[in-house]
Amino acid sequence: MSTVASGVVAGVPHAHGQWSGRLAFILAAAGSAVGLGNIWKFPYITGENGGGAFVLVYLGCIVLIGVPLLMTEVMLGRRSGQSPINTFATLAKREGRSRRWGALGWLHTLAAFLILSFYSVIAGWAVAYVPQAMSGAFAGADAAQVGALFDGLLGAPEQLLVWHTVFMLLTVLVAAGGVRAGLERAVKWLMPALLVLLLVMVAYGFTTGGFGAAAAFLFWPDFSKLSTAGVLTALGHAFFTLSLASATMVAYGSYLPKSVSIPRSALIIALMDTVVALLAGLAIFPIVFANGLEAGAGPGLVFQTLPLAFGQMPLGTLIGTLFFILLVFAAWTSSISLLESTVEWLEEKGFGRKAAAVTGGLAAWTVGLASLLSLNLWAGVHPLGMFETFADKTVFDLLDYVTANLMMPLAGLLTAVFAGWVLSRRVSEAELGAGVGYRLWRFLVRFVAPVGVVLIFVYNLG
Ligand code: TRP
């Protein structure tokens, strides 16, 4: 209860509770940012796009677009002190602008909700792989056997259902505890644990003999290997990995005490996210190169390529188990953030914290069933099959496409426009602090971010 009663800041009552301080906020936001995107997706898209040059462009996108938008979202949340759904409507009203900006809050939250529905299914694979790795299922397996294991999992709806349910329960469990007793307490354990596990993996990478090749692959830019499509992939991933344009950072910002510096926190969060992605690369690619595996193996890199290596290396059962636990932890701190915007809004509708967490989680779990089934029983169902672009897309593919390629770019673009052009300078300056940094932020948010996002958008549609 004390969290609920605590602090009235700048005249805004915090009905939902607040982070205990800067560290708690940074860990929670970094926990949101660090997820499947860093450990599963970043290595494989880097592999597919030829390494160093892609990494360099990705870092540029983080700095020029990701960080300013991260500051923006946290700032908007803190300013309103409300759920993302109500944030945009409230701030627009205060500016004497159209209440229609409220739709942007819905767009953000709907994106988060839909992402959560299938994020939980993928995270379920990682959960499933923990007991697999532990039982020594990869030991001595060849590529065909490891592939069969993965296909077998995706082809078995009842198994997927178990793991999807387990993962969503973990998410709801934390969410139900509230901002401090739930979210904060979980991230304070999980984030350091994640870092330790990752460092163990990197240390292992050192011993494989593939470390030099991995470092060269990640850090030696060869621009002849980078395509235009690769540049845009880097831009899109900068968004996804920082949890932008989908309510998360707005919701987390709404719990942020006034005394905490947003620019400084955002820089630290982005730095942590980037360091983890690079460490994940330094953990995974030595194993890939030392075992003569294919860096450009695609989405199966973590679930098919790596188990192959775990099955052959000394201590493979232990390292493999640690790796998938790491993946689960990373996904967990992200999924609680994906649920938070829905929970916060339900609380504003009068739900208690626990009821809000259960209701939001149950709803996302239910929608997730459609993604789960489209991996097997509904694999042949193509709801938008009449359109050429969507001809062979399952429900899962469509949700992924609609959120990543349509909703997030649109929400990101409108959010930058809202903060840069609609919100008065007085407000953003009060939140971010005046100075050179502020002017740089304003320039990036008004011009660079919108142009960058329009580029991804147009490219992805084409
Ligand atoms: N950033 C997380 C990752 O890299 C995923 C995530 C969490 C996310 N919250 C989000 C992605 C909100 C988009 C929007 O895995």
Side-chain angles (χ1 to χ4, degrees), residues 32-38 115 119 239-244 246 248 334 337-338 408:
S32 167
V34 172
L36 296 170
N38 301 61
I115 292 171
Y119 201 82
F239 249 62
F240 185 83
T241 192
L242 289 177
S243 306
L244 297 174
S246 42
T248 303
S334 296
S337 79
L338 282 163
M408 286 176 58

Side-chain angles (χ1 to χ4, degrees), residues 107 191 265:
L107 182 63
M191 290 306 285
S265 308

Side-chain angles (χ1 to χ4, degrees), residues 190-208:
L190 291 175
M191 290 306 285
L194 188 144
L195 195 65
V196 170
L197 289 177
L198 199 51
L199 290 174
V200 170
M201 293 287 301
V202 174
Y204 177 80
F206 253 124
T207 68
T208 59

Side-chain angles (χ1 to χ4, degrees), residues 277-304:
L278 295 176
L279 284 178
L282 286 177
I284 290 171
F285 286 116
I287 298 178
V288 169
F289 291 129
N291 291 277
L293 303 170
E294 184 53 58
L301 186 66
V302 157
F303 289 103
Q304 286 174 283

Side-chain angles (χ1 to χ4, degrees), residues 300-366:
L301 186 66
V302 157
F303 289 103
Q304 286 174 283
T305 308
L306 274 190
L308 201 57
F310 295 142
Q312 279 149 19
M313 63 172 68
L315 296 183
T317 299
L318 177 67
I319 301 289
T321 306
L322 287 182
F323 178 79
F324 286 107
I325 291 178
L326 166 78
L327 199 57
V328 171
F329 282 5
W332 194 6
T333 54
S334 296
S335 65
I336 57 179
S337 79
L338 282 163
L339 181 56
E340 188 55 31
S341 50
T342 303
V343 170
E344 189 178 15
W345 176 69
L346 287 173
E347 281 187 283
E348 285 166 359
K349 288 274 149 202
F351 282 63
R353 179 80 202 186
K354 287 194 179 63
V358 171
T359 307
L362 190 63
W365 177 86
T366 309

Side-chain angles (χ1 to χ4, degrees), residues 177-265:
V179 175
R180 283 198 194 172
L183 275 54
E184 217 177 286
R185 211 170 45 163
V187 296
K188 275 190 174 151
W189 286 99
L190 291 175
M191 290 306 285
L194 188 144
L195 195 65
V196 170
L197 289 177
L198 199 51
L199 290 174
V200 170
M201 293 287 301
V202 174
Y204 177 80
F206 253 124
T207 68
T208 59
F211 197 83
F217 180 72
L218 282 170
F219 300 120
W220 186 257
D222 175 355
F223 279 91
S224 69
K225 288 193 189 144
L226 188 65
S227 62
T228 331
V231 173
L232 293 154
T233 303
L235 196 53
H237 188 63
F239 249 62
F240 185 83
T241 192
L242 289 177
S243 306
L244 297 174
S246 42
T248 303
M249 292 300 176
V250 181
Y252 276 15
S254 74
Y255 307 139
L256 186 64
K258 207 72 183 169
S259 57
V260 176
S261 157
I262 291 176
R264 211 174 307 156
S265 308

